[in-house]
Amino acid sequence: MTDAATVEHAIESRRAIRAFLPDPVDPALVRRLLELAACSPSGTNMQPWRVRVLGPQARARLEQGLIAALDSPDLPIEEEYRYYPQTFREPYLSRRRKVGWDLYSLLGVVRGDHEGMKRQTQANLRFFGAPVALMVTIDRDLEIGSWLDLGMFVQTFLIAAQAHGLDSCPQAIFARFHPVVRRELAIPESEVVVCGIALGKADPDAPANRLVPEREPVEGFTSWLD
């Protein structure tokens, strides 16, 4: 393929993967993906991203703490930052509902199946079984522009991974459990827990990985001004 076709394929084939094979990933490749992601643009070259790649002990400790928190009625779970609006309106409400129920339909989870939903949350907190787990943070005193920069960093990482034959899933759920993440990974209060990233090879037989979210056509979000 041409360079342009390779880039386009990586962009179009990337999806959020929710079940991974246990196949290991070369740590040198993970480092290379981070080097590529660091080429992302940032205002005045601030490079506001921070990443922790979790080793086996740190990951086991984190996952154990997260599952315990999920089952504990005593631990208040509050978002580290507001990802979604307080009140959804159209067209965002319909899009959110559709992708959610499309996923649960593939998983065989019906409305009101709280145990099924809990199992999926547990899988999420375990990085969907991916062999590589990363945690992304940003300094708390930075502003919206730096968050935009961080988003471009994460996207560049995901696309670079896809180009290298790896699948991924950015995971905002960890922001809800930030007290546990902070405690188990020794993340200071001066950093915001933004998201995790699961990285590895997709399990081709997992029903969840058949989900292909619909995308709006260009005409739906673009105005061409004379």
Side-chain angles (χ1 to χ4, degrees), residues 3-217:
D3 290 345
T6 299
V7 174
E8 289 189 10
H9 177 72
I11 294 171
E12 291 182 335
S13 61
R14 186 216 63 80
R15 290 181 290 115
I17 295 301
R18 295 178 175 86
F20 289 83
L21 297 173
D23 304 3
V25 176
D26 187 349
L29 178 53
V30 178
R31 175 178 289 275
R32 179 57 182 157
L33 298 179
L34 291 168
E35 289 174 344
L36 292 169
C39 296
S40 302
S42 64
T44 63
N45 199 33
M46 287 178 60
Q47 305 174 68
W49 37 82
R50 293 181 181 272
V51 180
R52 289 165 175 83
V53 183
L54 308 189
Q57 293 184 2
R59 177 170 174 175
R61 188 172 63 247
L62 173 62
E63 291 183 2
Q64 183 179 7
L66 290 168
I67 297 303
L70 182 64
D71 291 333
S72 172
D74 300 324
L75 181 65
I77 302 301
E78 298 179 357
E79 292 181 323
E80 173 83 301
Y81 61 93
R82 190 174 297 283
Y83 192 107
Y84 295 109
Q86 286 184 295
T87 303
F88 278 92
R89 60 175 175 82
E90 296 299 344
Y92 311 114
L93 178 60
S94 294
R95 293 174 186 169
R96 172 183 171 85
R97 284 176 172 169
K98 177 169 174 49
V99 75
W101 288 115
D102 283 354
L103 173 61
Y104 283 125
S105 176
L106 288 170
L107 294 171
V109 177
V110 299
R111 188 184 300 272
D113 182 359
H114 300 296
E115 285 301 314
M117 293 180 180
K118 181 179 178 180
R119 285 194 302 272
Q120 186 62 12
T121 300
Q122 290 173 333
N124 200 346
L125 293 174
R126 292 190 174 106
F127 296 89
F128 298 113
V132 179
L134 304 93
M135 195 64 63
V136 180
T137 69
I138 190 171
D139 287 342
R140 192 175 297 278
D141 60 348
L142 297 182
E143 297 292 347
I144 291 177
S146 292
W147 283 72
L148 293 173
D149 297 340
L150 179 61
M152 289 186 280
F153 171 87
V154 171
Q155 172 73 348
T156 301
F157 181 90
L158 303 181
I159 296 303
Q162 197 73 17
H164 279 271
L166 294 177
D167 299 289
S168 60
C169 185
Q171 301 169 266
I173 191 172
F174 296 106
R176 286 173 46 203
F177 291 82
H178 64 94
V180 180
V181 176
R182 192 178 308 286
R183 180 188 72 216
E184 301 300 342
L185 301 185
I187 296 175
E189 288 289 343
S190 59
E191 295 178 37
V192 177
V193 176
V194 178
C195 68
I197 300 177
L199 181 71
K201 288 276 192 179
D203 181 349
D205 298 323
N209 290 340
R210 296 200 298 267
L211 177 66
V212 181
E214 295 179 0
R215 302 299 186 184
E216 285 295 304

